[in-house]
Amino acid sequence: MKSAPFDYHRATSVDDAVAVLTASDGEAKVIAGGQSLVPLLSMRMAQPTVLVDLNGLAELRSDRPTVTDGRARFGSMTRHAQLAIQTHHGLAAEMAGWIGHTAIRTRGTLGGSLAHADPNAECPALALACDAALSVQGADGVRTIPAAEFFAGMLQTALADDEILTVIDLAVPRRWGFAELARRHGDFALVLATVTELADGWRVVVGGVEGTPVRLADAEAALSSDASTDEVGRTVEESIVAYDDLHATSRYRRAMAAELVRRAVDQARRTQGEAS
Amino acid sequence: MTTDRVTTDRVTTETKVELSINGRRHVVGVEPRHTLGDVLREQLGLTGTHLGCEHGVCGACTVLVDGEPTRSCLVFAVQMDQTEITTIEGLAAADGTLHPVQEAFSACHGLQCGFCTPGFVLTAVHLLATNPAPDRATIRRELSGNLCRCTGYVGIISAVERAAVERAAVERAAVERAVTNAAAVAASAADEPSSPRH
Amino acid sequence: MVASLDQSTTTAGPIGTSPRRKEDHRLLTGRGRFVSDLQLPRMRHVAFVRSTYAHARIVSIDCNELDPIDHPVFTALSPGFEVGLFAQSALPGYVETEQPPLARGKTRFAGEAIAAVVADDRYQAEDAAEGVVVDYEPLPVTVRAWDEPQHPVHDAALDNVLLARTFSAGDVDAALAAAAVVVRREVVTNRHGGNPMEGRAGVALWEGSARDGHLTFWSGTQIPHLVRNLLAELLELPESNVRVIAPDVGGGFGTKAVLYPEDLALCLMARSLPGTPLKWVEDRAEHLAAATAARDHRYELEAGFDAEGHLVGIRGEAWCNVGAYSVYPWTAGIEALMAGGLLTGPYKVENYRCSVRGVATNTAPSGPYRGVARPATVYAMECLLDSGARALGMDSIDIRRVNLIGPDDVPYRLPTRLIDDTGHYAECLDACIERLGLDELRAEQARRRAEGGKPIGIGLACYNELTGLGRAASAGPRMPFRTGHEACTVRINPDGKVVVLSGVTSQGQGLETTLAQVVAEAVGVNYDDVEVRYGDTDQSLWGFGAFSSRQAVIAGGAANLAAVDVRESALRLAAELYEASPDDLRLENGSFYVAGSPEAVGTLADAARVAYLESNRLPPGFEPGLDATRFYDPVMGAFAAGVQVAAIELDPSTGEITILRWVCVEDAGRVVHPQIVDGQIAGSLAQGIGGAQYEHLVYDDEGNLRTGTLLDYLMPTSAEIPEFEIGHIERPADNPLGVRGVGEGGTLGPAAVLASAVADAVGIDIDQLPLTPERLWLALEDQR
Ligand SMILES: Cc1cc2nc3c(=O)[nH]c(=O)nc-3n(C[C@H](O)[C@H](O)[C@H](O)COP(=O)(O)OP(=O)(O)OC[C@H]3O[C@@H](n4cnc5c(N)ncnc54)[C@H](O)[C@@H]3O)c2cc1C
Ligand code: FES
Ligand code: FES
């Protein structure tokens, strides 16, 4: 289980990284924490010719996020471990604590997890739940992609080959709830659910049922009309089509989505708001 | 700085990296694809770092990079230039005296085959550095990124618990010693006839 | 620093205490010596090209891209690769088949090694492996042992059945016809495997010419002498020209008690490349795909009970998935014969008929794995008892009690003619129940039933572990060898320190420590003055190695015999040297004492010096030297009783199970090193729980392994494994040390315990493993 050969480029700036990506014609890959990419390299499921390392880029790190107008901005190289201990975004801290294990969280990054776009991962659901605005930089300059348009499918995003995710701008929910079901401590979720109250109302997001995290409009509507927790749960079960895989059937995923949403709703309704 | 080498179909370059390992500086030539784990084992002869899965799950390869537990199978040595690395070989004293965590693993039978042990010990060292008095449930959670197939974990959890308790005792003793010393110094200072300093 | 064990320079470490393990210091400081750590001059590295099809003809293998000097490639057509592994058994109903070192003509499972390439390091070996192109012609695939065979896996067995046997005693049909109730259960168990944290690894070095060479094979094997024996035969070398060395090994659990085709291939390659050490270190993907696994079984069983709950008969059938090959040397019968032979466990029943089959399929071979078949049979058997209890309206504990073999029944002849010599099951059960505090838990269970709350269930399993099988007890599979004995040499060096050369091996079980304790006590020296060496066929005379919980009983027995001999020689010599009667002398802590005097008259070191260096002082008739080599064979085996009881809590909304308590009481006989014994039990319990709830090697219908990494093959972590409460009843076994094996018992209970706890909690029968939250949730949904 050893990688195929590649060249290594330690990026000196985002511009420099983009330049290398652009020059490589889609054959280069960015490495952030490497916690998802390196296993793929070692199994030779990915064989880029060049690895562009973002780890030296202070501009992408944020030991402390900037918080303005009820939104928190994180650099894409924010490690899961940092996200878990920061106090500006409670839901992000909670969800980051569920990612893998200490040694994974010390390296893995918020940006890497979003770019990897695993439907069972915490960060993509977090992004959708908090109406993330994702800044990306490529050969054509900088653009901002809303989370709702960023995730294109299982392990697929709207990022072009030459684009780098630089900043993740998350709304800080007034109230939130989060629940996850995994087979073992630290595993990717079988199913996870978030319930967030943002300035424009409630969001209900579940991960692990489709190729991307999904927002559930019916559940959101039910929640906004003060429906009971059970009623919200029922709409969840009716509104999703979950996939079957090795780890769970569609039926179980749907039922668990409903159960986890119920738990998250209860938690959100119990808590006090944290942003104003 | 770099030399070319022909593999089957691609040309890869070798890069020099400087690593400080267990306090000693090493400059090694590595291919970009060489993981830190492989470089430690194959090039530096530090075979105490074990590879149990090479895809980030088992934790056997865990080392401390700048004090943080890191899967050495999931980072490339080229990325580690100018870092400080602690491997299992760096814990015991030069005369072989075990580090308190190692000692506790032995006392509590926290190892059988010993293959997972280096990763567990280093993870535990880091845990106790960040959380000096974890309870068993916390230890179980915090060590869950490391797999052991032999022990059923009981001895490992007990070892970490014991190391924490003993560390606390050592620290208490040190504080008490310091307090006693300070008191003694103060007392003897009071006894001494004051000598004009200026 | 705080010392935790006795840190004085000498430790007595007598039997029954837990001195510091001899292996700990090197393993804790990163100074272990594992095969993968080995670096030798001129060493090159090997990667295997593995089949991507579960069943296919190999049309061609193209390696023209590779330079034959830089990257030699080996296939079944390479010179010398005509040989193969034939696991043999004289049992009627056994079909002998061949396992080639590299797939020959066709591949029989996805992951089978088809070719091997050599390079300067493993990275380049994997690069080169990508340059080998195999052209396949797919064949129909059979994945499950109980499915209609699609296309024979081996031409010798058109129905894929490599072993069939019916165990039978009494008149089961009449017994069931007359029974008060008859219950029927069909259960399916999940394939999982040892997955030691260190995978397989080997380094082969051939020195000398191809015909008259010397082979050294470093291997993580549990069975070095057997490996030497077969390699010598296949490579046509005198056995003395083959040396097999198993240094530190990172766990085995049976997975490494196999001679694998990769091992043979590596040695054949070494013969073609004399002077070049060839190293192969298996990676985890290879391990999951190609190392042996186990327990892919199905049982269809009926049990009859009389009105008081006594078992009157058991009748049924079992299918065990052998995988693509008959595992060397244990044969395709390893699981099926154990399943049929020990199904009835510690329960009395006279009428029994069970037909077992070992069936070949297009999946990785199955082989020995801790507990061999019994984690499945104990589960099946306890399911029958739970169903019986429900049918009779009896308490699930009571029904076990009335059927357990008791001390008054022993020696009890099982319906399969094995003799149970223990009968201490009820004692273990009582100890478990007392420890658990059953009444309190029952009260809490009732309270929750009445008032709501997560249901609680109490489950149990009783089992017997057949340990330390002597020549009579190891006769079952009728292989061309009997694994009943083990040799041990105990040697006093000229300085009075003791070296033990044992034929056994250790993969973490602490044999270096345990054997040192046995020998220290038997000779009369300190534990610290004994050094144990094993795992090197050039050092020990003979040994079968580590499997079937035999090391403490048989290797311990041999060490004890040799040590006693040496002590006697030393005492005879000392008697002459110190002019005392041998009967008045004793040897303790390395010194000789005469009865009635507290002062030592001399030391073992003095006597040893005379024995080796001062033959002028040797009394007439004494040969120089002080050592002894003895074999030990217990002839029969020692059954070890065990019971596990657990309390669980279910979350009906997700199907998740929380283990509240887990109590295990076993009879380990006389305990040599209590810490090590408890460690063995805890480790095997954890593996049992892993197999029951998490671990599953899943194949799709095309025979592709879908759990090919540790992200999908789930081994339990410290967060899933509960605290264990381990107890002992120490009933010395009928062997010189009084010990029983303890390595496997823990794995036998968990599946049964958890299934019975679920049945107790919510009345649901679990008929399929692993017991995942989803499976339980679906069953609860059906019930709702
Ligand atoms: C044992 C184990 C357990 C884990 N458990 C979990 C878990 O429970 N939940 C979970 O969510 N994750 C889990 N992970 C994955 C972990 O969170 C990863 O860190 C994360 O998914 C990827 O982040 P990374 O920084 O490591 O990215 P990398 O692995 O470096 O990169 C991942 C992908 O994103 C691309 N990429 C990275 N950064 C950028 C960027 N800034 N711009 C554009 N593209 C980029 C890379 O090119 C690559 O394709 C686990 C991993 C392991 C090994
Ligand atoms: S070898 Fe690195 S985590 Fe397993
Ligand atoms: S001691 Fe063997 S894997 Fe942990």
Side-chain angles (χ1 to χ4, degrees), chain C residues 284-351:
Chain C
R284 188 58 54 182
E286 293 183 279
H287 186 87
L288 289 163
T292 55
R295 296 173 199 151
D296 188 349
H297 303 180
R298 176 157 157 252
Y299 297 83
E300 280 181 13
L301 299 172
E302 287 170 296
F305 298 87
D306 70 15
E308 283 85 50
H310 296 107
L311 266 167
V312 297
I314 295 177
R315 175 171 67 192
E317 293 186 77
W319 292 258
C320 298
N321 192 340
V322 162
Y325 292 100
S326 192
V327 63
Y328 189 88
W330 311 110
T331 83
I334 181 165
E335 291 200 281
L337 293 170
M338 190 69 93
L342 276 169
L343 177 72
T344 58
Y347 300 107
K348 287 182 281 188
V349 58
E350 278 167 24
N351 303 299

Side-chain angles (χ1 to χ4, degrees), chain C residues 102-181:
Chain C
L102 294 169
R104 191 184 299 137
K106 75 169 184 172
T107 165
R108 295 180 171 87
F109 72 98
E112 180 170 11
I114 293 182
V117 294
V118 180
D120 286 340
D121 64 29
R122 174 71 185 219
Y123 286 86
Q124 294 178 46
E126 290 190 21
D127 295 344
E130 288 192 331
V132 177
V133 182
V134 183
D135 189 12
Y136 301 92
E137 186 185 303
L139 293 168
V141 172
T142 309
V143 173
R144 278 167 296 271
W146 43 92
D147 285 354
E148 196 63 36
Q150 292 301 306
H151 185 99
V153 179
H154 294 274
D155 292 342
L158 296 180
D159 58 358
N160 284 348
V161 177
L162 299 189
L163 174 112
R165 181 167 176 192
T166 298
F167 294 84
S168 170
D171 185 346
V172 72
D173 298 330
L176 291 196
V181 297

Side-chain angles (χ1 to χ4, degrees), chain B residues 50-62 71-74:
Chain B
H50 295 156
L51 302 176
C53 71
E54 299 176 84
H55 53 271
V57 182
C58 76
C61 68
T62 307
R71 306 283 210 228
S72 66
C73 72
L74 293 189

